[in-house]
Amino acid sequence: MEPVNVSLRKIHGGTVSAFSSRLDEEHAPSAVLADEGYWSTQKSNSIVSEFVIIDFGDAVPVDCVEISPSPSGKTTFPHDFRIEASTDGMVWRVIQSERKYELEESLIYRLDVPLALMRFIRLYIVRPRKTGAKFFSEIGTIRAGIGGARDLNASSHSSYGFAPARLLEGGDGTYWESEMHAGPSREHVEMDLGRVLQVNGIWLASAGVTPHGFPENFYVEASTDRTVWAPLFEEKYFSAQPATTYFHEAAVTPARYVRVEMSTVLLEAKNFGARLAGFAVSAAPFEIAHTHNIGELTPQASIFQAGVVRLSRDGGDSLGTVVQASDRRLSDATTVFKGIVQLAEDGDDRPGFAVQSSDSRFKPASELRPGVVRLAYDRENKPGVAVQASDSRLEEATEKTYGIVRLCSDGVYSDMSVVRGGDSRLKKGTTTSHGICRLADDGENNPECVVQGNDRRLRDGTTINKGIVELAEDGEDGESVAVQGNDRRLKDATTMAKGIVELAEDGEDAEGVAVQGNDRRLKNASETEKGILRFAKDGEGSAQT
């Protein structure tokens, strides 16, 4: 089998060989292989599984699968789905399963897998997302192939712009060139593949210039963590031809980082340096039928083969697997990517997000920017703001400035002002000055004055001095005097003395006397005696009859 170059990104073309449904012609499954448009499944009232199968026409190496959403983004991206691979379209191997997956905003779903040969890739949607009242999914594009190197750096490069990125360009006349030195030195170039692959070879190309500057002595080493490095091969006194690519095989070694250490060679003008026109890494595809043993050592565990342990897929929670250090759940959380948690943006209060310690809500509050609260301006009374301790409303009040209240001047009547304890109106009143009120002089009857308890008008009245009233003498009938209880006019009346009235003698007709009930004039009249009246005799013409 030809070596597989895993340094250069390469997306395989193919055709859609089968699918479950489509919404209409405009949103056909073939859109997943195009740069524009998207595939939409039929909209259903219930949960219906959907799928689409891509046929590459032949078995091709794949270590990366990317799925982009439709313009609707995460709202129509599948909820539960699987990515499966097959070499014959009959037997399918599950590469990755996702449950309750939440796509990050403005991102694509990317899955790095061990390099393997596959002809068919199937996206199987177990549970579409419910949008509105319907269940359906929308997929932008599906890309599969070689993800390529993540980074390429060198110990140095010349000031003419011959940067290490040129090692991946592969164009005529492009190459990386180290700094020039007056004597021999050591240089290196290092490639980060972005994932652990089973490296089995290296390509190195010489430049097509004279001198080509290809190193004569170099060695290649690999590492999974940049801590422990394993040698792949070494070359001494290597004589290269210009504009030539050389492939160096190596024992299958798990590696993410591959580094070429080299000695510089003599270039023009007695300067020493190194030049490389190309640097690429080959990896062995994963074979499910066997593992790659490294001598007598136990092979490194992967998500598909057991070593010391069986490694979990990124984000996987299968029983008996070990979470890898590169698992996205252990990554540093950001406002875009979830780690242990997903960090909230500054001021973001959505549920499920962790507030960062730099959040402005934890900063000291100011008048212009809220913290835990927003501080109020001096005397500001808007709801939701906190009054500061320096607010003038909390200062000691004076007659000229407000505090909690505004003090009222002595004796002044003013709305929304508070009378002070020393106000003259709160002092004890006297006959000459007001307190709560002004006391009246003895006997004074002016308005807005209060009668004192020792006022003579509140004393017991006598016949000589007024109290509440002035008592009348016995029998006195003067104005503004009160009749006493022992007044003779209140005694029982007799024929000799007045009481309430004076009783008249029997038959008496004097003024001011009251006829008694036994008066003969109240007796029944007869022909011989007067009573109430006397009847006249027959023919009598007396005036008294």
Side-chain angles (χ1 to χ4, degrees):
M1 179 181 175
E2 293 185 359
V4 179
N5 187 344
V6 293
S7 302
L8 294 177
R9 178 176 173 85
K10 181 180 180 182
I11 301 300
H12 301 303
T15 59
V16 174
S17 60
F19 60 91
S20 55
S21 70
R22 64 182 178 186
L23 181 63
D24 49 38
E25 286 290 343
E26 184 180 356
H27 304 98
S30 58
V32 299
L33 298 175
D35 293 331
E36 298 181 354
Y38 60 93
W39 168 49
S40 176
T41 65
Q42 286 185 342
K43 298 182 179 182
S44 175
N45 293 323
S46 59
I47 298 175
V48 178
S49 298
E50 305 281 356
F51 70 90
V52 60
I53 299 175
I54 298 175
D55 180 5
F56 299 118
D58 198 359
V60 294
V62 174
D63 70 357
C64 175
V65 179
E66 297 175 346
I67 304 175
S68 63
S70 71
S72 299
K74 61 186 296 183
T75 59
T76 57
F77 200 78
H79 192 266
D80 297 348
F81 61 94
R82 296 197 304 261
I83 299 175
E84 303 170 343
S86 175
T87 56
D88 56 9
M90 299 178 63
V91 178
W92 294 89
R93 178 163 54 91
V94 177
I95 299 177
Q96 177 78 331
S97 293
E98 298 287 358
R99 290 180 296 174
K100 298 181 180 180
Y101 185 79
E102 293 294 335
L103 183 70
E104 304 292 346
E105 292 289 349
S106 304
L107 297 177
I108 65 173
Y109 174 83
R110 179 187 173 102
L111 176 65
D112 291 321
V113 300
L115 182 65
L117 298 177
M118 56 187 73
R119 175 178 173 177
F120 300 94
I121 281 187
R122 176 166 64 185
L123 172 62
Y124 187 81
I125 301 173
V126 180
R127 179 187 176 90
R129 197 173 297 274
K130 186 176 183 180
T131 304
K134 300 291 185 179
F135 289 91
F136 67 99
S137 295
E138 294 177 349
I139 301 296
T141 57
I142 301 177
R143 298 182 178 91
I146 304 299
R150 298 290 195 276
D151 187 27
L152 185 61
N153 60 74
S155 54
S156 69
H157 66 87
S158 66
S159 58
Y160 298 102
F162 301 117
R166 292 194 169 197
L167 293 172
L168 296 176
E169 295 177 1
D172 294 337
T174 63
Y175 55 88
W176 161 77
E177 180 180 86
S178 69
E179 285 184 347
M180 295 299 165
H181 299 277
S185 62
R186 301 285 293 181
E187 300 286 348
H188 74 264
V189 291
E190 182 181 308
M191 181 180 296
D192 177 8
L193 298 174
R195 66 278 189 208
V196 176
L197 298 170
Q198 302 298 329
V199 174
N200 64 354
I202 302 294
W203 285 278
L204 292 174
S206 61
V209 296
T210 303
H212 53 71
F214 195 89
E216 296 178 357
N217 299 303
F218 60 92
Y219 69 91
V220 181
E221 56 187 358
S223 175
T224 58
D225 56 7
R226 262 188 182 154
T227 301
V228 179
W229 294 86
L232 294 183
F233 63 88
E234 182 179 11
E235 292 287 351
K236 292 183 178 181
Y237 309 111
F238 187 84
S239 179
Q241 296 295 312
T244 304
T245 300
Y246 297 94
F247 179 74
H248 300 268
E249 292 184 357
V252 176
T253 304
R256 172 176 174 174
Y257 305 95
V258 179
R259 182 163 61 191
V260 181
E261 290 278 356
M262 67 196 80
S263 299
T264 56
V265 296
L266 181 63
L267 299 177
E268 63 272 5
K270 297 182 181 182
N271 289 323
F272 286 81
R275 292 174 180 154
L276 288 177
F279 172 33
V281 175
S282 170
F286 166 76
E287 293 289 345
I288 194 171
H290 66 278
T291 59
H292 299 289
N293 292 323
I294 311 170
E296 296 179 356
L297 298 177
T298 303
Q300 178 171 341
S302 72
I303 62 173
F304 292 105
Q305 68 184 31
V308 178
V309 292
R310 181 177 180 82
L311 300 181
S312 172
R313 299 183 180 93
D314 186 24
D317 56 0
S318 300
L319 183 65
T321 59
V322 177
V323 175
Q324 301 183 61
S326 60
D327 195 284
R328 63 173 179 262
R329 294 168 292 183
L330 301 180
S331 302
D332 290 337
T334 67
T335 56
V336 178
F337 296 100
K338 289 183 180 178
I340 301 297
V341 293
Q342 183 169 355
L343 300 181
E345 298 281 357
D346 186 28
D348 192 352
D349 59 357
R350 289 179 292 172
F353 288 74
V355 177
Q356 302 183 62
S357 59
S358 60
D359 197 284
S360 60
R361 293 169 287 185
F362 289 145
K363 295 179 180 178
S366 69
E367 297 174 352
L368 299 177
R369 182 185 60 201
V372 177
V373 293
R374 186 179 78 76
L375 300 182
Y377 295 99
D378 187 34
R379 308 196 68 82
E380 184 178 2
N381 59 358
K382 290 183 179 179
V385 295
V387 176
Q388 300 185 61
S390 60
D391 196 283
S392 61
R393 292 170 290 187
L394 301 180
E395 296 176 356
E396 294 184 3
T398 67
E399 296 177 1
K400 296 182 179 180
T401 60
Y402 289 95
I404 298 295
V405 293
R406 181 174 180 271
L407 299 182
C408 185
S409 299
D410 186 29
V412 174
Y413 297 93
S414 176
D415 290 340
M416 305 303 292
S417 297
V418 176
V419 176
R420 292 182 293 178
D423 195 281
S424 60
R425 292 167 290 185
L426 298 181
K427 295 178 181 178
K428 293 181 179 180
T430 68
T431 56
T432 57
S433 64
H434 290 273
I436 298 295
C437 58
R438 187 178 72 79
L439 300 181
D441 286 316
D442 187 24
E444 183 180 356
N445 60 359
N446 289 326
E448 298 183 356
C449 294
V450 176
V451 176
Q452 300 183 59
N454 61 352
D455 193 283
R456 65 173 179 266
R457 291 167 293 185
L458 300 180
R459 296 174 184 172
D460 293 337
T462 68
T463 57
I464 299 174
N465 297 317
K466 292 181 179 179
I468 298 295
V469 294
E470 181 182 356
L471 301 181
E473 296 284 349
D474 185 25
E476 182 181 359
D477 60 356
E479 293 183 357
S480 301
V481 292
V483 176
Q484 299 183 58
N486 62 351
D487 193 281
R488 64 174 178 266
R489 289 168 292 184
L490 300 179
K491 296 178 180 178
D492 292 337
T494 68
T495 57
M496 299 298 293
K498 294 181 180 179
I500 299 297
V501 294
E502 182 181 356
L503 300 180
E505 296 286 344
D506 184 29
E508 184 180 359
D509 60 357
E511 290 184 359
V513 294
V515 177
Q516 299 183 59
N518 60 355
D519 194 282
R520 63 176 177 268
R521 289 168 292 185
L522 299 179
K523 296 179 179 179
N524 292 330
S526 67
E527 293 180 355
T528 58
E529 293 181 353
K530 294 180 180 178
I532 297 298
L533 52 83
R534 183 177 68 83
F535 295 103
K537 294 180 179 180
D538 185 21
E540 183 179 0
S542 175
Q544 299 296 320
T545 58

